[in-house]
Amino acid sequence: MNFEYLKQTDKEIYDLILLELKRQKQSINLIPSENYTSKSVLEAISSILNDKYSEGYPYKRYYGGNLYVDELEVLCQKRALNIFNLNPDEYNVNVQPYSGTPANLAVYTGLLNIGDTILSLKLSHGGHLSHGDSVNLSGKLFNFIHYEVDQKTGLINYENIEELAKNYKPKLIISGFTAYPRIIDFKKISQIAKSVEAISMADISHIIGLIIGGAHPSPFPFCDIVTTTTHKTLRGPRGALIFYKKEFGEKINKAVFPGMQGGPHENIIAGIAVALKEAQSKNFKNYAKQIILNSKTLAKLLIDNDIKLVSGGTDNHLILLDLRKFGPGRGYFIEKALETADIIVNKNSVPGDTFPPYYPSGIRIGTPAITTRGMKEKEMIKISEWLTKIIKKFAINDMPDDKEKRQIIIKEFNEKIKEDEFLNKIRKEVNDFALQFPLPGLN
Ligand code: DSN
C-alpha cells in the first residue's frame, strides 16, 4: 500500500498516516490487545465493500444489490464456525458487531430484561469495561455483581463465583477477561452457571488466537454464548463476533440489527474472513505457541530482575506488573517514560489498587504484536533489560493523592522526560532493534 492518491488529494492525512507508520516501525509494541494485520487483511478492508449498504442478514436485506455481499457474509460465518469445529446445527455466529463492547451489549439487551442481574469480574481485577463497570452503559442498564481475584494469589476464585451465583441468582455469568494472565476454566464457570440456571457467556477477545492455536483451552462446547473481538490475537480488522447456541439465535440477531446497529461494515467482515482463513494455517499454530513462549520468558526475566508480577507469572499472552512496592499510582510515570523510549505499554490497575484507573499502580504488557514481527525468546532478554532499567529509574517518583498536586507533578514529569538523556539513549537502541523486525502489512 503506497497511498499515492491520498498523497495527492489530502497531504495532511497522508502525512499523519506516514508518521504513524514510522512510529509503529521503530517502536516496540507491548500492548497485549494490539497486533499487526497482514497485507491481505488490509486490502480486504480498504476495498469497495466499504461502499455497500446491507442492513439485515444474508438473503434478507433491506437494500438491493447484495448478491455478493450475501455470499461473503455466509463465507465469513462458515469460516468462524469451522475454525472452532462447531456443528452448525448446534452453534451459529453473528459476524456484524462493530466491536467488542457493542457485541457484549447486544448479548445483554437481546437475552435479558433491563435491570436483570449479571455476574462478572470486576474491572480493577482484570474484567472489562463492558462487563458492567458503572461508567459503561452495561453497568447503567443491568444489575452487575462482581467477583474478584484472590488478592494474595491473583487467581480467579471459583468458589467465590459459586457462592455469589447462589446468593444473587444471576441471569448471565461472564468469564473471559482483559487483564488476567492465567488460564481460565471455562468449563467450571459454565457448570456454575448451569447450576443456577444462568446463561454462560465467555468473552474471549484477548485469547481467541491462543485458543485457535491450541495454546489455551476452548470455551466450546461449555458456554452458551462466546463473544470476541477480531483485532487482538486473531490479527484481523477491528470488529467482533458473537457465537451462540442456536436457541438464542433470533434474540441475538435482532439485538445486533436492528437493536444496536445499522448497516454492517462488509469490508470489515471480508477482512475478518481473511484473518480466519490465515488463522487456520500451521504457521498460525506456531505463532500462538511462540506468543506464550515469549510471554513466559519475559515474565521470568522480569521476576529475576525483582519486578513483581500479579499472580507471580503468566500462562498466556499478557503480564501484569505490580509496581506498588515503589508506591501507589506509579503506572502513569512508567507508561510515559517507556513511551519516550519508544516502548509502548499501557498503565493498568492491579487487584486491590487504591489509585484510580488513570493513575493506576501497574503496567500491562503482552507479546502478540512483537511475536507477529518475528521476535523470539532471545529478543525478550533485551526487552526485559530496557523495561527493568526504566521502571527502576522512574517508578521512584512520588504520585500524590491530592488532585491539584498530581497535575503539577505530572506536568513537570512530562517536561523533564522529553530531555532525559538516559531515555533518549535507550530510544535509539530500541529504534535500531525494532527496525530489524518488519511489520507484515505496511512495509
Ligand atoms: N481495550 C481492550 C484491551 O486493551 O484490553 C479491551 O477493549
Side-chain angles (χ1 to χ4, degrees), residues 209-210 212-215 235 279 281-294 371 376:
L210 305 182
I212 290 171
R235 293 201 295 210
S281 67
K282 174 111 187 7
N283 276 348
F284 194 85
K285 280 205 164 46
N286 294 336
Y287 166 63
K289 290 201 179 78
Q290 190 63 48
I291 289 177
I292 294 187
L293 287 175
N294 287 349
T371 307
K376 296 218 161 81

Side-chain angles (χ1 to χ4, degrees), residues 80-118:
L81 293 175
N82 279 343
I83 209 149
F84 290 109
N85 293 317
L86 296 175
N87 178 351
D89 292 332
E90 203 188 338
Y91 278 97
N92 214 331
V93 60
N94 188 309
V95 299
Q96 295 191 359
Y98 297 149
S99 208
T101 296
N104 289 342
L105 279 166
V107 174
Y108 312 148
T109 54
L111 302 185
L112 309 179
N113 293 315
I114 302 299
D116 276 354
T117 299
I118 305 178

Side-chain angles (χ1 to χ4, degrees), residues 120-136 146-149 177-180 320 348-353 356-358:
S120 69
L121 182 65
K122 201 185 219 169
L123 179 77
S124 60
H125 284 235
H128 189 250
L129 210 57
S130 68
H131 297 178
D133 193 72
S134 60
V135 299
N136 184 262
H146 294 296
Y147 53 93
E148 299 185 348
V149 296
F177 316 116
T178 200
Y180 185 66
L320 198 51
N348 213 93
S349 301
V350 287
D353 213 326
Y358 200 75

Side-chain angles (χ1 to χ4, degrees), residues 228-295:
T228 181
T229 51
T230 47
H231 48 275
K232 297 187 176 91
T233 45
L234 182 61
R235 293 201 295 210
R238 310 191 81 82
L241 306 170
I242 305 174
F243 295 89
Y244 51 82
K245 283 201 174 143
K246 274 193 134 169
E247 67 215 71
F248 300 110
E250 200 183 330
K251 285 182 173 170
I252 293 284
N253 289 333
K254 278 195 177 148
V256 174
F257 173 83
M260 288 269 310
Q261 299 186 174
H265 298 171
E266 295 293 346
N267 57 323
I268 298 297
I269 292 173
I272 294 171
V274 173
L276 287 166
K277 185 173 179 186
E278 290 172 354
Q280 266 170 335
S281 67
K282 174 111 187 7
N283 276 348
F284 194 85
K285 280 205 164 46
N286 294 336
Y287 166 63
K289 290 201 179 78
Q290 190 63 48
I291 289 177
I292 294 187
L293 287 175
N294 287 349
S295 180

